[in-house]
Amino acid sequence: MAQQYPEWIWQNGAVKPWAEATTHVMSHALHYGSSVFEGIRSYATPDGAAIFRLTDHLTRLFHSAKIYDMALPYTRDQIAAACREVVKKNGLAAAYLRPVAWRGLGGFGLSAETPIDVAVAAWPMGPYLGPEALEQGITACVSSWQRFAPNTIPAGAKAGGNYLSGQLIAREARRLGFGEGIALASTGLLSEGAGENIFLVFDGALHTTPASASILTGITRHSLITLAREDGIEVIERDLPREYLYLADEVFMCGTAAEVTPIREVDGKQVGAGHAGPVTRRIQELYFGLFNGKTHDKWGWLEPV
Ligand code: PMP
């Protein structure tokens, strides 16, 4: 089914019809990957539509921009208002929001100080890795493509160019018939999924890869660490060798799009019992509980539209 586009998009200070929110073919970002962006979800909660950790996502957008010396011409509050506006104006509740800032037209050298364009789009989105993924889990493979080393491209910035790596990993996995690809870091140790962080469960404790493993330190990852610890589940950030994927009791991926997706098989080897285990289920319950009112949001993560 073709993507259904919502009617309105915010670009450079104004809401425009979707078809008019365009950029020039000579925009710097199109040629050199010089964009920074966020992926954010809004949920229909019992208290109305809410954007999950909007402020934290936009703080990360500004951090990504800082790394690439991109001075965004709008404040975090202005971009937050734009996010709310596109959700409202398109009549959305459960949606995916995409703020993006990019080097536009006005200079073609690699170090050119071009103007920075900013846009926010939003569209309805269900489970990213397929409708059954959250229940039954997905298969995954370790990619033949490694993540970039920390002294090449900073994984902590959510920049357009980084997603060439993610595309190679995800496309290879799908070509080989797997649901998602998992990458190793340049150290040979586990990094993360193509567009998700990864958690392994051993003896009831959660183990996840650290910032030094060329990961994007995800906001979902942080939310799950917080919820787990609050629930008395131990969480350890540590280097993890590849084979631990095969030996873990449970494995799951997480991210704004992927939410909490169980992994039932890695490289053709069954993970644990071959379906979502009790710790994964509990984490799903706590996470989705934020949006159905069952988990008390004591952190103010749900920001009303
Ligand atoms: N790693 C990568 C490479 C990603 O693209 C994402 C999705 N933004 C994540 C991890 C998860 O990050 P978050 O939980 O902030 O969406």
Side-chain angles (χ1 to χ4, degrees):
M1 192 177 75
Q3 169 93 36
Q4 294 293 304
Y5 296 123
E7 225 174 326
W8 304 101
I9 245 181
W10 182 96
Q11 187 178 15
N12 294 332
V15 172
K16 307 174 174 182
W18 180 283
E20 288 171 26
T22 56
T23 191
H24 198 275
V25 292
M26 293 308 282
S27 292
H28 196 273
L30 188 59
H31 300 255
Y32 301 129
S34 43
S35 65
V36 294
F37 66 99
E38 276 303 317
I40 313 175
R41 272 192 195 257
S42 63
Y43 288 89
T45 78
D47 296 325
I51 305 179
F52 186 59
R53 301 192 68 172
L54 174 62
T55 305
D56 295 324
H57 276 283
L58 295 182
T59 298
R60 187 171 68 185
L61 181 74
F62 278 78
H63 287 169
S64 300
K66 181 176 185 183
I67 291 170
Y68 287 102
D69 302 319
M70 294 167 67
L72 303 192
Y74 301 96
T75 63
R76 196 179 65 177
D77 285 351
Q78 285 173 314
I79 300 174
C83 289
R84 292 189 161 92
E85 200 175 350
V86 289
V87 173
K88 269 194 242 169
K89 194 143 166 98
N90 287 303
L92 298 168
Y96 186 82
L97 283 79
R98 169 53 53 80
V100 56
W102 68 99
R103 288 202 175 276
L105 188 63
F108 219 62
L110 285 177
S111 62
E113 285 306 334
T114 68
I116 308 294
D117 288 308
V118 183
V120 185
W123 59 91
M125 194 197 227
Y128 170 64
L129 294 167
E132 283 88 48
L134 297 177
E135 270 299 310
Q136 293 165 18
I138 61 164
T139 62
C141 64
V142 173
S143 182
S144 68
W145 293 102
Q146 278 183 350
R147 295 288 283 169
F148 30 83
N151 60 348
T152 59
I153 290 175
K158 194 166 169 63
N162 294 18
Y163 287 81
L164 291 171
S165 159
Q167 286 175 58
L168 290 169
I169 296 161
R171 295 181 70 87
E172 180 186 60
R174 308 267 150 82
R175 190 169 57 242
L176 298 175
F178 296 95
E180 186 57 300
I182 300 168
L184 302 179
S186 59
T187 54
L189 299 167
L190 211 50
S191 176
E192 63 176 346
E196 308 84 9
N197 293 123
I198 192 157
F199 283 82
L200 280 59
V201 178
F202 289 99
D203 297 327
L206 292 174
H207 298 240
T208 192
T209 51
S212 53
S214 294
I215 65 166
L216 178 73
T217 44
I219 288 169
T220 316
R221 172 184 180 278
H222 177 265
S223 307
L224 301 188
I225 291 173
T226 306
L227 289 167
R229 287 188 174 146
E230 185 77 13
D231 199 49
I233 299 170
E234 190 187 357
V235 186
I236 306 156
E237 294 180 63
R238 55 171 298 202
D239 284 332
L240 290 162
R242 172 180 182 162
E243 64 273 23
Y244 279 29
L245 288 170
Y246 312 141
L247 306 178
D249 303 323
E250 305 174 33
V251 178
F252 62 86
M253 283 179 164
C254 73
T256 297
E259 298 174 302
V260 181
T261 300
I263 307 288
R264 58 182 155 83
E265 193 188 289
V266 180
D267 293 338
K269 297 180 204 290
Q270 181 174 300
V271 174
H275 53 76
V279 179
T280 307
R281 288 257 178 250
R282 179 67 186 147
I283 296 293
Q284 284 184 321
E285 191 177 43
L286 292 168
Y287 186 68
F288 292 112
L290 288 164
F291 315 122
N292 65 26
K294 291 196 179 132
T295 301
H296 173 55
D297 173 26
K298 61 191 260 193
W299 306 274
W301 286 341
L302 294 172
E303 303 184 44
V305 169

